[in-house]
Amino acid sequence: MTKSSNKQNVADRFALLTGQDNWSTAEACGLPSLRMSDGPHGLRYVIGEEGEEQIAASSVCYPTLSALGNSFDESLVYRVGQAIAEDCIRHDVAMILGPGVNLKRTPLCGRNFEYFSEDGVLSGRLAAAYIDGVQSKGVGTSLKHFAANNREYDRFFQSSEMDERTLRETYCRAFEIALQAKPWTVMCSYNPVNGVYASENRHLLRDLLRREYGFEGAVVSDWGAVKHRAKSLLAGVDLAMPYDEKCEKQLADWYSRGLISEADIDESVDRLRALIRQYETTEPLRKAELTDGQKHALAVSAAEQCAVLLKNDGVLPLGKSQKIAVIGGFAENPEFQGGGSSRVTCGKPLSLCGCLRDQGFDVDFAQGYMIRYHMATPFGLRYATDLAMQSDCAVVCVGNTWLTEKEETDRFSIRLNPIMEDLIVNVANVNQNVVVVLYAGSAVDVSAFRDKVKAILYMGFGGEGVNEAAARLLSGEVSPCGKLAETFPVCLSDTATGEARGNSYTERYSEGVLVGYKYYEYKGIVPAYPFGHGLSYTQFAYENLRVEKDSETDYRVTLTVRNIGARDAAETVQLYLADKASMVTRPKKELVGFAKKFIAAGERQKFGFTLTARDFAYFSPVSDAFYVENGIYTVMVGASSADIRLTQELKITLPDEEQFSQY
Ligand code: BGC
């Protein structure tokens, strides 16, 4: 190759290493351009810009990942992934920018609605199901945001600071599990981690992602996350998005100074070539088979599976002979997704009143509040309470707006807008049977009304089918079966981070591995509703726990669950493990497995799990490896983290020469 053609060739390769525009890879090195789109709870296919607003083509909006987290249902998430891929296929989108598996460290994080859970195992497994679903249709995914982007507050600057054990055991855990599904790409986050931007963080991108987790796909930057293209290339970012002319200049400069080599360039070029080849070779899988009606029906049934019945003092399901007051603007115009890059343009959800009337209920509506400039303002409180007074039951619809829960800002409070709290309390003063329907993407402080109402149905940000699902759940057509993937604390000050947001420079993750339920349990703080909690219209009996040993760190766990109530329903069984006496600080219990099964009234289902070394291990920075400590472990099976039904102890005795001394 002559010197001038090599120069040309280098420029061509540099072009490939950054995007062509906002959404596509460059047509370079003889390769076609690939289009990417957000994600993750529906396709956001941007077709234009109006001022600062992006205009997106219409597609189906499924429950957000936070709601899907509450489903604890891998097969559901797989099907949703497939359906989203079908929308991608119709628009020639090669890759969806999701799923997101950042952990919910604080309920204030404005993007919690885009993430599955506060637990790494649950997040990782559901993300793997999502990736499998999307990629089974020949469309790629981008597992994001790697790593430790747990707030929106000053996300481009503030460094997430933590010890290695916390990083490996907690914030990387979901990525590690989801990577087993081989996403085509991983997206690195905006923030620095331990002082080094994720886009330049070799420890994250090379030591962990590539070497330890075996990721072979391409690393894509978050949009604008690259500070210096050559430094990010050396750290392991293959594609900087979106197009930015400084990238090519920086690469050329460092190349001319001998700071990046041909091999450095080719490593990333080869990965992008492989990505494009992967898109080409999976062409036969790209078949869009679902009708619009089928996709909407999936959105409705997904919303049903995701809803969590937080409280029910016998008022639900609603009786057909009752006169029902539906109160609150969200009944007509529900919030069903958050704000920011994930926002899907879709059809408007149906009215809850309309859906209940279709099911034969006698329903009247009072607005109660109006949403103006995304804030609730009072609207006819007297009419609302009058209506409630004349009704047998009042269903009050409240929640957060998409400007409260959105990308780039965090919430300041986890309470509802005070107008909504007042409305509930006023209605509860005149009607004994109040049901609150809650539309939100993250935990809410319900203490203002929890004890004054008979039932709380948490719909999450439930997607376009949210009200159809709510009506079927309220009427008992289907039983609620969601479980909380995120603890509802009593109040913000009970959380590990309280009101803190960092100081714009650094934020210390001083609670370490004690995130979510692990923190509350360790500190003995009783939450309003614990992780894994969710009621049903039936009851389940847990029986016959057997823990069988295959090897010192391999066990099989089986049990039977009987539906002892009168209604068919699904139940999620949760498997937790606890190390009884560890040399390090460990959570009181950790989720290691879960499974959801539909059980007809009077029937029983067998559940089976396996435990392996990793389930017992903690990350030891001393040996730089996961380590299983000898001792007694408690296997716990429960209907929630706080409702353990069956337990059994087991003893691990690995050879003493492989163990650190304990005493
Ligand atoms: C978000 C990503 C998103 C990207 C493209 C960024 O601001 O953090 O999650 O995929 O924009 O819209």
Side-chain angles (χ1 to χ4, degrees), residues 320 324 326 332 351-366 471:
K320 284 269 161 69
I324 293 160
V326 172
E332 292 297 299
S351 126
L352 181 59
C353 299
C355 294
L356 285 170
R357 281 189 197 114
D358 286 349
Q359 293 204 20
F361 286 96
D362 176 6
V363 176
D364 275 313
F365 175 67

Side-chain angles (χ1 to χ4, degrees), residues 16 25-35 89 92-95 135 137-140 184 269-287:
L16 190 66
T25 60
E27 228 178 281
C29 303
L31 296 166
S33 156
L34 287 191
R35 166 98 187 199
I89 294 166
D92 279 333
V93 167
M95 195 164 82
Q135 295 189 173
K137 287 268 163 190
V139 174
W184 290 8
V269 166
D270 288 350
R271 280 204 202 99
L272 293 172
R273 205 185 290 279
L275 172 69
I276 290 159
R277 292 275 170 267
Q278 190 163 21
Y279 183 60
E280 287 169 350
T281 54
T282 49
E283 204 276 330
L285 300 174
R286 283 193 285 282
K287 293 195 184 77

Side-chain angles (χ1 to χ4, degrees), residues 126-149:
L126 294 180
Y130 182 101
I131 294 163
D132 282 339
V134 172
Q135 295 189 173
S136 72
K137 287 268 163 190
V139 174
T141 54
S142 198
L143 180 65
K144 67 189 187 184
H145 308 88
F146 191 63
N149 180 186

Side-chain angles (χ1 to χ4, degrees), residues 48-75:
E49 315 264 333
E50 215 173 76
E52 294 206 336
E53 286 292 301
Q54 294 174 340
I55 313 296
S58 182
S59 56
V60 180
C61 179
Y62 298 93
T64 63
L65 298 199
S66 60
L68 287 171
N70 296 337
S71 77
F72 276 71
D73 188 338
E74 289 158 298
S75 71

